[in-house]
Amino acid sequence: MVKGLDKDKPQWYVMRAYKNESTAEERLSDEKYGLTHFIPKQKVLRTINGKKVICMVPVIHSLVFVYASHKQIVDFKHNYSLIPQHFDLTLFISS
């Protein structure tokens, strides 16, 4: 834990979603939490069943940026993380 962290002040955190960004995005957008989050994505041309399709895929796989207070993050993880390591949490320090 970061020394002197204000648990009520919203900050940017990085959460690891273990290659399940879509589920993480769904859960973070849930009405109960509605946490501000960002998953950088890019358009990629893929061939699916012989057809070329443009898909949006994460630029950085498994990472989700979340803007919330430490208390909100802990509450979210406690209620949604059925598997203990489903979401990992790291404070993203910005200047």
Side-chain angles (χ1 to χ4, degrees):
M1 186 155 153
V2 177
K3 190 176 184 178
L5 177 66
D6 182 355
K7 292 184 178 186
D8 294 321
K9 180 184 174 191
Q11 300 182 49
W12 280 104
Y13 290 86
V14 178
M15 296 180 81
R16 184 174 297 142
Y18 297 103
K19 299 194 179 198
N20 205 350
E21 298 90 355
S22 60
T23 301
E25 192 167 25
E26 244 178 61
R27 290 179 176 184
L28 287 164
S29 298
D30 186 307
E31 281 182 27
K32 183 176 179 181
Y33 294 101
L35 298 177
T36 301
H37 61 281
F38 175 67
I39 300 174
K41 296 181 181 181
Q42 65 182 351
K43 291 181 183 178
V44 175
L45 184 62
R46 293 204 172 153
T47 304
I48 300 173
N49 296 327
K51 294 182 181 180
K52 294 194 180 215
V53 179
I54 294 177
C55 301
M56 294 295 287
V57 298
V59 174
I60 307 169
H61 293 284
S62 301
L63 292 185
V64 179
F65 298 90
V66 181
Y67 187 74
S69 70
H70 189 266
K71 286 182 180 180
Q72 288 174 304
I73 295 285
V74 170
D75 185 42
F76 171 80
K77 284 182 62 178
H78 176 68
N79 288 308
Y80 261 128
S81 296
L82 302 176
I83 303 168
Q85 284 119 9
H86 187 72
F87 289 109
D88 232 359
L89 175 67
T90 307
L91 176 62
F92 180 70
I93 306 294
S94 62
S95 51

